[in-house]
Amino acid sequence: MNNYILMLIIIVGLTACGGGGESSSPVPDTPSSDSGNSGSDDDSNSGNDDSNSDDDDASDDSGSDTIMSDLVIDKSFALKTDVNLLIDAKISASNVRAYLNVCQAVAETGKADYQNCVLRKPLVNGELSQQVVLSRQDIALVAEIWLYDTNPEPLRFQWQFEEGSTQQKFEIRY
């Protein structure tokens, strides 16, 4: 019996909270700057519920309506922004333990932003070759090679997207 009463209370509580639906009072439209055709927009768009006064203002500025089907895209543009990057690192002292960080560059300092790294791995026998995917082309990268035994400061190398290159490669040599 207690379960039925509890269930009834929950159902009444959920019903009282409401379900979101449409508002009973419509939001008033902002008046357009052109007071000459007030009222004519309502007559011409009476059959179109999707029309909006913001759309009308945008079309007045451009002189003609532009729709998605008018968009022309060059066939060479693949509509993707990601970039495949080959990171190829080799150090001459293959018996030295080393660790590689490849991170986005901080604009002011040119140092690595450790919160935005694309690769963090140890160099095995002084070498590493790995493909990574960048989300866009305008990312500047900094590679830091940390040598465990000899140098407290990392070796830094910079990379920027090469516009004419078909294969993007970050080659790191020391």
Side-chain angles (χ1 to χ4, degrees):
M1 184 67 176
N2 286 337
N3 286 341
Y4 292 116
I5 294 173
L6 181 63
M7 196 88 126
L8 182 63
I9 291 172
I10 290 173
I11 291 173
V12 169
L14 288 175
T15 306
C17 289
E22 289 190 29
S23 172
S24 62
S25 63
V27 177
D29 288 340
T30 58
S32 76
S33 60
D34 184 18
S35 61
N37 32 330
S38 63
S40 65
D41 286 343
D42 294 336
D43 297 337
S44 64
N45 293 329
S46 61
N48 187 1
D49 292 346
D50 292 334
S51 67
N52 189 338
S53 66
D54 292 338
D55 293 340
D56 294 339
D57 291 342
S59 66
D60 290 342
D61 293 338
S62 66
S64 66
D65 291 339
T66 303
I67 57 174
M68 200 62 164
S69 63
D70 292 338
L71 182 64
V72 177
I73 301 172
D74 188 1
K75 291 184 182 199
S76 64
F77 184 61
L79 296 175
K80 66 180 215 169
T81 60
D82 57 342
V83 175
N84 292 324
L85 174 66
L86 176 64
I87 298 174
D88 185 26
K90 289 183 184 175
I91 59 174
S92 58
S94 62
N95 58 350
V96 175
R97 291 179 48 208
Y99 194 82
L100 175 68
N101 286 332
V102 179
C103 306
Q104 290 185 18
V106 177
E108 299 83 35
T109 63
K111 292 185 178 181
D113 178 7
Y114 297 116
Q115 301 300 318
N116 293 310
C117 290
V118 295
L119 181 68
R120 293 180 178 192
K121 280 196 163 186
L123 298 178
V124 178
N125 296 326
E127 295 183 8
L128 177 101
S129 182
Q130 183 158 346
Q131 186 88 17
V132 295
V133 178
L134 303 177
S135 61
R136 58 186 199 276
Q137 298 175 358
D138 64 341
I139 298 174
L141 296 178
V142 174
E144 292 183 339
I145 296 179
W146 294 86
L147 302 172
Y148 289 113
D149 300 331
T150 59
N151 195 357
E153 282 294 313
L155 305 168
R156 286 192 180 89
F157 302 89
Q158 303 280 332
W159 178 84
Q160 189 70 37
F161 181 79
E162 297 173 18
E163 195 67 40
S165 179
T166 57
Q167 170 66 33
Q168 297 298 315
K169 186 175 186 181
F170 190 177
E171 195 171 68
I172 303 161
R173 300 289 185 259
Y174 174 72

